[in-house]
Amino acid sequence: MKIEVLFPDVANLYGDLFNVKYLEQCTNCEVINTNLNDTPAFASEKIDIICMSPMPEFAQELAVEKLLPYREKLRELIEDGTVFFVTGNALEIFGQYIENEDGSRVDCLKIFDTYAKRDMLNRYNALFLGNFGDMKIAGFKAQFSHSYGGENSDRLFERVKGAGLNPDDEGEGIRVNNFFGTYLIGPLLVMNPDFTKYLLGLAGVKVDKLKFEDEMRDAYNQRIKEFERPDIELAG
């Protein structure tokens, strides 16, 4: 299995690169780190999972500029079912645009019909509890923006506590075929073992037991128990 990490030189916030480091421990995989000045491997070879982590806001424009020549290739890969795992504000660059506080816009890849609005004076920090089918999902949020729209894509998680794609949305994240885009950080795959197995399964890798799964599951069960408490307020 090949995993490509897009732009780890700038897309490396909140420890989310450990999503890939954890997959590397759980599987016999090759990890390709594609920096901003590199040609993406997905342009010329088969990649099983394409990952991108949160980044500073200035880097979003750099990432869009770099990926724009490959927009149709990205569309093709999404349509063909390649697994994408995109976290934090990295999901925004696949939408239509990002709107700044003064009304100016950063054009994005325009693959999905979502758009984002920034508010750099107000960071949204929160815990999140949601559902993915019959799985419970726990995660964290730390962001200066929210996304809107997305009528032509499904939400990834069903919100139970915390904000969805925006505070008024009952769904969190974006799912189109095997494209998984979410504002949740954590790292999410370390925090949610069943979801990790599900993602690997989509990439054709069956793992009976993850690395450190017993410890992960104990932590997961405790976290879900805490998040479900009625006196816990998840948004901040």
Side-chain angles (χ1 to χ4, degrees), residues 57 60 89 92 116-119 143-147 183:
E57 280 67 24
Q60 289 177 289
N89 63 1
E92 296 172 359
K117 290 186 176 183
R118 285 177 181 158
D119 183 357
Q143 60 201 78
F144 287 108
S145 50
H146 292 286
S147 288
Y183 277 117

Side-chain angles (χ1 to χ4, degrees), residues 18 148 224:
F18 277 91
Y148 302 84
I224 294 296

Side-chain angles (χ1 to χ4, degrees), residues 88-124:
N89 63 1
L91 72 88
E92 296 172 359
I93 71 171
F94 292 86
Q96 297 293 305
Y97 60 84
I98 302 168
E99 183 177 301
N100 295 306
E101 297 90 335
D102 62 2
S104 62
R105 294 181 176 182
V106 175
D107 284 332
C108 295
L109 295 175
K110 302 182 187 298
I111 293 175
F112 305 132
D113 58 344
T114 52
Y115 61 94
K117 290 186 176 183
R118 285 177 181 158
D119 183 357
M120 297 301 294
L121 296 179
N122 293 288
R123 180 194 292 271
Y124 179 81

Side-chain angles (χ1 to χ4, degrees), residues 1-51:
M1 180 177 72
K2 288 186 180 180
I3 300 174
E4 181 169 16
V5 183
L6 294 178
F7 317 140
D9 48 342
V10 293
N12 52 29
L13 298 183
Y14 309 120
D16 265 26
L17 289 178
F18 277 91
N19 282 312
V20 175
K21 291 184 183 298
Y22 183 62
L23 293 181
E24 196 171 8
Q25 292 190 48
C26 294
T27 66
N28 181 23
C29 67
E30 175 186 353
V31 175
I32 301 169
N33 290 301
T34 298
N35 291 322
L36 274 172
N37 291 328
D38 299 332
T39 300
F42 68 73
S44 59
E45 58 185 290
K46 184 182 184 303
I47 303 296
D48 299 290
I49 304 179
I50 298 172
C51 296

Side-chain angles (χ1 to χ4, degrees), residues 152-164:
N152 293 331
S153 57
D154 292 328
R155 294 295 184 257
L156 177 53
F157 303 126
E158 177 189 359
R159 183 189 72 84
V160 175
K161 286 185 177 180

